[in-house]
Amino acid sequence: MRFALERRDWHAAASLSAPAIGFPLERFPWAEAMLSFARSLGAAQTGDIPGALAEIAKLQSLEDKLLEAKDSYWANQVKVQRLGAASILAHVQGDDKKAIELARAAADLDATMDKHPATPASVLPARELLADLLLELNQPAAALTEYREVLRTDPHRFRSILGEARAAKQSGEIAKSRDAYQKLVALSASASERPELSEAKTFLTN
């Protein structure tokens, strides 16, 4: 799941299924929600609108289940995912104003909560999703602000450093873009080659 989302492999994300390990996922709605979130993004990004709507409805159902159990923390975590997924669907459907409103609502809600001590980081930070959306909508200065906010709490996050480099470049802040690309290359010194690193190295050699 994380591998698909980090690489923006939307077809892989859309086709994710629960791991065949005999784990009672239905007893942990928040864990089940992570799969629905990933699938909803994958479906929306690959043009499967009915699939995206079904997964967003599933997220709403899981959120309601957690609220009924009076588990407000996880209910809000799932709400963040639902709002984020709905924002991408709105964008795909051409309603960018609504998309930004939903993505910002997700990011702002997420910012009010601390990470649960027994869990890893979110599968895709809500504020990074907002930043990606703003960059795609040709709002690089606004995107740069959001990427930097993500990096304030997750300073070595590959996708946000990449976003910072791209947003700074599009904003005309070439020196800051170069710094971000250099950081990305240094961070990935032992990693296998991928298109984003080729992009960084090309920029740095020009």
Side-chain angles (χ1 to χ4, degrees):
M1 176 171 54
R2 289 178 184 274
F3 190 79
L5 292 180
E6 285 297 315
R7 290 178 174 265
R8 302 308 192 254
D9 186 344
W10 301 123
H11 288 283
S15 62
L16 286 168
S17 58
I21 56 175
F23 188 77
L25 201 61
E26 68 279 358
R27 289 174 50 194
F28 302 92
W30 55 268
E32 195 174 355
M34 292 180 188
L35 279 170
S36 280
F37 174 59
R39 286 195 293 249
S40 66
L41 294 181
Q45 295 282 13
T46 57
D48 179 7
I49 304 305
L53 286 168
E55 295 297 343
I56 291 169
K58 177 67 172 178
L59 287 168
Q60 180 68 74
S61 174
L62 293 168
E63 181 185 335
D64 292 342
K65 185 176 181 179
L66 287 160
L67 285 172
E68 288 171 9
K70 302 188 185 307
D71 192 341
S72 59
Y73 175 83
W74 283 115
N76 280 332
Q77 289 286 338
V78 176
K79 183 176 182 179
V80 167
Q81 295 175 333
R82 177 177 59 79
L83 290 170
S87 77
I88 299 305
L89 180 59
H91 170 55
V92 169
Q93 293 179 312
D95 191 344
D96 290 331
K97 182 176 183 293
K98 180 180 178 182
I100 292 175
E101 288 174 353
L102 288 166
R104 192 170 295 284
D108 289 347
L109 175 58
D110 191 45
T112 68
M113 295 180 283
D114 292 328
K115 187 188 80 65
H116 192 284
T119 62
S122 59
V123 292
L124 197 164
R127 196 163 298 280
E128 184 180 277
L129 187 148
L130 169 62
D132 286 349
L133 179 61
L134 290 167
L135 189 60
E136 188 172 341
L137 294 175
N138 198 30
Q139 298 182 37
L144 187 56
T145 297
E146 303 301 341
Y147 285 125
R148 286 174 174 165
E149 182 60 23
V150 177
L151 292 169
R152 187 179 65 80
T153 55
D154 297 274
H156 301 300
R157 184 165 167 74
F158 183 97
R159 296 296 316 187
S160 284
I161 297 172
L162 174 66
E164 180 185 31
R166 289 173 172 173
K169 179 183 176 183
Q170 290 184 32
S171 298
E173 298 187 43
I174 303 304
K176 292 179 180 177
S177 179
R178 181 173 294 276
D179 287 345
Y181 275 128
Q182 287 174 336
K183 187 183 301 182
L184 195 71
V185 170
L187 180 68
S188 309
S190 60
S192 58
E193 194 61 33
R194 52 190 288 186
E196 297 92 338
L197 291 177
S198 296
E199 172 189 330
K201 290 173 183 177
T202 298
F203 180 87
L204 293 170
T205 55
N206 289 338

